[in-house]
Amino acid sequence: MSRATSLSSLSRACKRYGPGRLPKADHRAIGAGYAGASAAVAIATVFAFGMFGLSQYGPSLETWAIAPFWGFSALVAIPLVLTTAFLAGALTWQVVPASIPYAGAVAGLLATILTYLASLAVVFAILVGVAAADGTASISAALTEAGVLTAFIGIFAVVLTAWFTLPLGCVSGAIYERARDAAPESQ
C-alpha cells in the first residue's frame, strides 16, 4: 500500500469515526483544533501506558523506577494538553494558509510546538498561584521557584516525548488537510 493510499485511508477513517463529526468541525480552524486535541490525548495516553508498561516489563534498571511517575503525570496532564492542543490547532490553522506547500504538516508541527509552550505557560501560572497562595515566599521567590520547576518539567517533557510528538503532529496535520480536501462539502 502506498503512502498516499495509507493517508487517504486514514483521512477517511478520521472523517467517518473521528472528531470530524463534532460541532463546527467543518470550519477549518475548529476541525483542526479537534484533530489536534484528539491526537494529543492519544499521544498522552499511549505515553502514560508505555511508561507504566516499561516500569513493569522493561529492563530492570533503576533508571526506570521513575517511569510510573511520568505515566501518572501524563494521565493527569490530559485535560491541560487537550485544551491547549485544541487552542493551538485552531490558532495555527487560522494563521497558516492552506495554499502553502504541505500546509497540514507545517501547521501540525507548529501546533505541536505551540501546545508544548501553552501547556508550560499554564503550568507556570498554576505554580505561581500555588506559591503565592502559600504566602511564605515573596513574589520574586515564587516566580523564580515556579520558573525553575516549569523549566524542569518542560525539559523532561520535550526530551521524553518530542521525538514522537513532532513527527506525529506533522502526520496528523497532513491527514487532517487530506480529509478536508477529500470532503468538498465541508469547505
Side-chain angles (χ1 to χ4, degrees), residues 59-73:
S60 59
L61 301 172
E62 287 185 24
T63 309
W64 299 115
I66 197 166
F69 168 76
W70 291 113
F72 180 74
S73 298

Side-chain angles (χ1 to χ4, degrees), residues 6-111:
S6 297
L7 280 178
S8 295
S9 298
L10 279 171
S11 65
R12 278 192 307 275
C14 288
K15 182 72 177 167
R16 178 177 238 164
Y17 304 110
R21 302 177 329 174
L22 294 171
K24 298 193 180 193
D26 56 335
H27 296 3
R28 185 173 183 256
I30 301 297
Y34 287 145
S38 59
V41 169
I43 291 168
T45 304
V46 167
F47 176 77
F49 287 108
M51 288 290 104
F52 291 134
L54 190 60
S55 68
Q56 294 298 313
Y57 305 109
S60 59
L61 301 172
E62 287 185 24
T63 309
W64 299 115
I66 197 166
F69 168 76
W70 291 113
F72 180 74
S73 298
L75 288 177
V76 168
I78 285 177
L80 172 65
V81 171
L82 172 102
T83 306
T84 56
F86 176 84
L87 295 173
L91 176 66
T92 302
W93 260 264
Q94 287 280 66
V95 175
V96 175
S99 61
I100 68 167
Y102 307 106
V106 169
L109 176 66
L110 293 175

Side-chain angles (χ1 to χ4, degrees), residues 68-169:
F69 168 76
W70 291 113
F72 180 74
S73 298
L75 288 177
V76 168
I78 285 177
L80 172 65
V81 171
L82 172 102
T83 306
T84 56
F86 176 84
L87 295 173
L91 176 66
T92 302
W93 260 264
Q94 287 280 66
V95 175
V96 175
S99 61
I100 68 167
Y102 307 106
V106 169
L109 176 66
L110 293 175
T112 303
I113 293 168
L114 189 57
T115 299
Y116 278 110
L117 295 174
S119 295
L120 288 171
V122 172
V123 166
F124 177 75
I126 290 169
L127 291 173
V128 167
V130 167
D134 183 22
T136 59
S138 68
I139 190 68
S140 64
L143 288 171
T144 302
E145 186 178 313
V148 168
L149 190 52
T150 301
F152 177 75
I153 291 168
I155 288 168
F156 275 96
V158 168
V159 167
L160 291 173
T161 64
W163 63 272
F164 185 63
T165 59
L166 295 176
L168 196 59

